[in-house]
Amino acid sequence: MSKFSCIVAACENRGIGINGDLPWRLKRELQYFSRMTKKVSDAGKKNAVIMGRKTYFGVPETKRPLPERLNIVLTRNATGYTFPSDVLVCDSLQDALHKLDTTDFGKDIENIWIVGGNSVYKEAMQSDRCHRVYLTEIKKHFECDAFFPEIPTSFTIVQNDADVPTEVQEENGIQYEYKIYENKQ
């Protein structure tokens, strides 16, 4: 049973989205998300990204499914939605993890990333399989209608990975910082 990590950018009020979109435009932060969720040590493998239906459809049509990764979309009701054949649709996080553990979908997967939204993050962080949260702290307040849940107290800040910048970043007048929380349970 493989562990997984969450990756998220959240502003000062823990906001992560508004009207199905990001409340900010940070190109380098999106590049960081892409690099982190694609990064593998075994060139013969790729990563899985697990997201809710609203998060999937919040990705611009030209950019979905997210390239070079197995896209897994969680929805309790797929009726009325069309997904490409290479997107795995599951009805819960448990279902998705079970399929990765027990079917061919998981045989070439190196890392599993949870990429949103709110209810998927919340369920993920309550799982004993959640190893890390890669949080981009946006040092500004934005109006949002989707929020990142509180990080459980079993998680503590750890030193950033070698390829994760430690200094405060700035883009479009917005400062942000990368933090990594690890589950110590």
Side-chain angles (χ1 to χ4, degrees), residues 6-18 21-26 28-30 32-33 114-117 121 133-140 142 144 146-149 174-179:
C6 296
I7 187 165
V8 63
C11 61
E12 290 174 342
N13 56 335
R14 293 198 338 271
I16 58 174
I18 186 159
D21 201 357
L22 294 172
W24 47 77
R25 288 282 165 260
L26 299 171
R28 286 197 316 271
E29 205 284 326
L30 283 173
Y32 163 82
F33 168 88
I114 307 296
V115 300
Y121 284 133
V133 174
Y134 287 75
L135 172 67
T136 302
E137 271 182 8
I138 312 267
K139 299 183 175 297
K140 193 171 175 179
F142 285 87
C144 294
F147 298 89
F148 190 68
I174 300 168
Q175 291 189 329
Y176 56 94
E177 194 172 2
Y178 301 116
K179 302 260 176 91

Side-chain angles (χ1 to χ4, degrees), residues 4 27 40 54 68 110 145 151 159 161 173 182:
F4 58 77
K27 194 172 180 184
V40 290
K54 289 181 194 160
E68 300 167 49
E110 185 170 299
D145 59 14
I151 296 175
Q159 190 171 348
D161 298 345
E182 195 166 281

Side-chain angles (χ1 to χ4, degrees), residues 120-144:
V120 180
Y121 284 133
K122 187 171 182 162
E123 184 181 356
M125 286 189 295
Q126 291 167 348
S127 166
D128 55 2
R129 291 173 64 171
C130 186
H131 174 58
R132 283 184 156 188
V133 174
Y134 287 75
L135 172 67
T136 302
E137 271 182 8
I138 312 267
K139 299 183 175 297
K140 193 171 175 179
H141 188 100
F142 285 87
E143 187 181 332
C144 294

Side-chain angles (χ1 to χ4, degrees), residues 7-8 41 43 45 48-49 53 71 108 114 155 163 174:
I7 187 165
V8 63
S41 52
K45 295 193 174 219
V49 286
R53 175 185 47 78
N71 285 233
D108 295 323
I114 307 296
F155 287 81
D163 60 345
I174 300 168

